[in-house]
Amino acid sequence: MATDYSKLSPAYRGYALGLMTVMFTLANIDRSILSILIEPIRVEYGLSDTQVGMLTGLAFAVPYAIFVIPLGAMADRANRVRLIVLLMLGWSMLTAATGLAQSFLILVLARMALGAAESGCAPTLTSLTSDIFPAKRRGSAMSWLYFSSPLGVTLGLAIGGLVAAHFSWRTAFFVVGLPGLALALLAAFTLREPVRETTDRPNEGTKEPSSIAKALGVVMRDHRLLFLMLGGAFCIGGQAATSIFMGPFLIRLHDMDVGQAGALLALTYGIGGMIGMPLGGYITDYITSRFPGRELTFFGFVNLVVFVIAAAAFLVPSWPVAIALLAIYSAGCVLYYGVTFASFAQWSPPHLRGGASAVLLLAMNLFGYGVAPQFAGVMSDVAGAMGFAQPLRIAMVGSSILFAIGGIFLLMAGRAAMRRTAI
């Protein structure tokens, strides 16, 4: 039976949000820990960087993209607490089981299953949070919920590097996977299903029902949405491709062990993301209030600067300088999130907003988390075959170019928006 959260105490609503944030954080840890463990895995199985790119990218992103819409639709119909409990039991067991893998094929299959299970996490927790909190508190509640993304990355890098350095990469998967089983049971017994919000808008339902085909048509016809989608996909592609190989980059080119690399990346890439993501939102709000219509132009140029900083970080021979540049890059590479999602939602027709957002997420996940890491791995292997002494450095600089391409598309989206406003 559903519960009206407005009749419950603020303390319980805070507990529910805290519990869901921890659940989302564990999901992000399970998803991201592979990036710091990939070098010992590569050495043990004798993998090429192309195989590394497939394991970290396409193996996760393709199942995620396939299942995110069906599971999101299920969250609109089923008991969401039961759904997220089942999903968390699944992805936690899969994470722990990854530590038992005895072949590259088993690792790929485990990663594919993990992508499918975790695809339902964000839509289910987002739906729950929307119905637990009233509209006037929903923004801050969502901010806390999605703060779990950079927090999970930070903890995954730190825990994965520390455990792998003192024990093994297999142990690290057990350490981060098993707590999810206990947390899922806690949610099953203490988290209540909220009453779903209904609408009192008289014109609701007068438009044709949303569908992916209709939403895709809207995105393709509206140059603002199309350029924004391409900008987001290329930006997140540069971010994903460089982050996946950042641990191996420090280990291979700067002679660090996995523990040192994990700690330094947690302090730079992880914390930088925790700073940059909310900062991007504040900057967006400031520009919108003072210079309306200039938000995308500003962030387009920001991403061109991010490309230069990233390329410099991967080219300098001194690791302290590289780490300092990575700290700046890590805060800058996520600034575009707020303006991208806010602008996309604003320009999408209200009755197609959910479907249009799904198109954006599909593009960003398939290209950003799937194709881009694969591209980086292939580039590294090709550079090695061509005789380059440090092929991974070539691949990292090449992946950084994706930020510049994304920045250009953001500039194009901003220009298309200004033209439409002028008309």
Side-chain angles (χ1 to χ4, degrees):
M1 184 175 179
T3 299
D4 185 352
Y5 270 72
S6 66
K7 298 179 180 179
L8 299 181
S9 67
Y12 182 79
R13 290 198 296 271
Y15 165 77
L17 178 60
L19 178 60
M20 292 189 297
T21 301
V22 175
M23 295 171 76
F24 210 172
T25 299
L26 279 181
N28 280 286
I29 291 174
D30 293 351
R31 177 189 306 188
S32 63
I33 194 172
L34 183 63
S35 63
I36 194 59
L37 303 177
I38 198 64
E39 190 63 11
I41 293 174
R42 183 190 70 85
V43 172
E44 179 171 330
Y45 289 114
L47 305 179
S48 66
D49 281 341
T50 298
Q51 290 174 303
V52 168
M54 182 177 71
L55 178 62
T56 56
L58 289 174
F60 183 92
V62 172
Y64 187 101
I66 291 172
F67 284 94
V68 64
I69 294 178
L71 286 175
M74 188 179 295
D76 288 333
R77 298 190 302 269
N79 183 296
R80 291 162 291 180
V81 171
R82 293 174 189 165
L83 178 59
I84 195 62
V85 166
L86 290 174
L87 289 172
M88 189 167 198
L89 288 172
W91 83 60
S92 298
M93 287 189 289
L94 287 165
T95 300
T98 304
L100 301 173
Q102 297 299 313
S103 69
F104 174 67
L105 176 60
I106 298 300
L107 280 173
V108 170
L109 293 176
R111 189 72 175 166
M112 292 177 68
L114 182 68
E118 287 200 3
S119 67
C121 178
T124 304
L125 290 179
T126 299
S127 177
L128 280 169
T129 303
S130 296
D131 287 334
I132 287 174
F133 291 91
K136 63 182 180 181
R137 292 194 55 200
R138 210 166 281 159
S140 59
M142 289 293 182
S143 296
W144 280 110
L145 181 68
Y146 279 89
F147 187 72
S148 59
S149 179
L151 178 60
V153 171
T154 303
L155 293 175
L157 290 169
I159 295 171
L162 181 64
V163 174
H166 289 84
F167 300 96
S168 71
W169 65 265
R170 297 180 184 277
T171 306
F173 282 111
F174 295 134
V175 168
V176 300
L178 294 177
L181 302 177
L183 195 65
L185 294 177
L186 178 64
F189 287 106
T190 65
L191 190 61
R192 305 179 189 180
E193 172 74 7
V195 174
R196 294 182 186 271
E197 182 181 31
T198 57
T199 180
D200 56 0
R201 287 176 290 182
N203 293 327
E204 190 72 25
T206 59
K207 298 285 186 179
E208 292 184 20
S210 174
S211 70
I212 290 298
K214 292 186 179 66
L216 184 60
V218 167
V219 174
M220 292 297 105
R221 289 191 299 270
D222 190 329
H223 287 172
R224 300 173 302 170
L225 296 177
L226 177 61
F227 292 147
L228 197 55
M229 180 186 72
L230 292 171
F234 275 97
C235 289
I236 205 167
Q239 183 185 341
T242 55
S243 66
I244 288 297
F245 285 96
M246 213 172 281
F249 172 78
L250 294 178
I251 293 170
R252 295 186 212 173
L253 277 70
H254 293 292
D255 299 320
M256 297 183 186
D257 61 38
V258 66
Q260 293 172 318
L264 284 172
L265 289 178
L267 291 171
T268 54
Y269 188 76
I271 293 179
M274 294 168 67
I275 295 171
M277 197 167 289
L279 180 61
Y282 288 122
I283 295 174
T284 299
D285 290 344
Y286 176 82
I287 298 176
T288 301
S289 63
R290 297 293 185 91
F291 310 100
R294 303 292 182 181
E295 307 90 351
L296 286 167
T297 301
F298 175 81
F299 285 101
F301 283 116
V302 164
N303 270 45
L304 295 177
V305 175
V306 167
F307 154 65
V308 175
I309 295 172
F314 300 131
L315 287 172
V316 295
S318 168
W319 74 261
V321 177
I323 289 297
L325 289 171
L326 284 177
I328 301 171
Y329 152 81
S330 299
C333 73
V334 295
L335 289 173
Y336 71 94
Y337 267 79
V339 72
T340 299
F341 285 101
S343 299
F344 204 88
Q346 177 184 342
W347 296 337
S348 300
H351 69 292
L352 294 176
R353 191 164 287 156
S357 296
V359 173
L360 174 64
L361 288 170
L362 279 172
M364 293 179 74
N365 276 281
L366 275 177
F367 181 81
Y369 291 113
V371 175
Q374 185 75 72
F375 166 74
V378 171
M379 198 187 316
S380 177
D381 286 339
V382 169
M386 293 174 64
F388 286 93
Q390 297 177 328
L392 187 55
R393 193 186 296 275
I394 303 296
M396 296 296 270
V397 174
S399 298
S400 302
I401 296 174
L402 297 178
F403 282 110
I405 298 174
I408 291 170
F409 276 119
L410 291 182
L411 290 171
M412 292 171 68
R415 186 174 180 180
M418 294 296 288
R419 285 202 305 268
R420 185 145 177 164
T421 302
I423 294 173

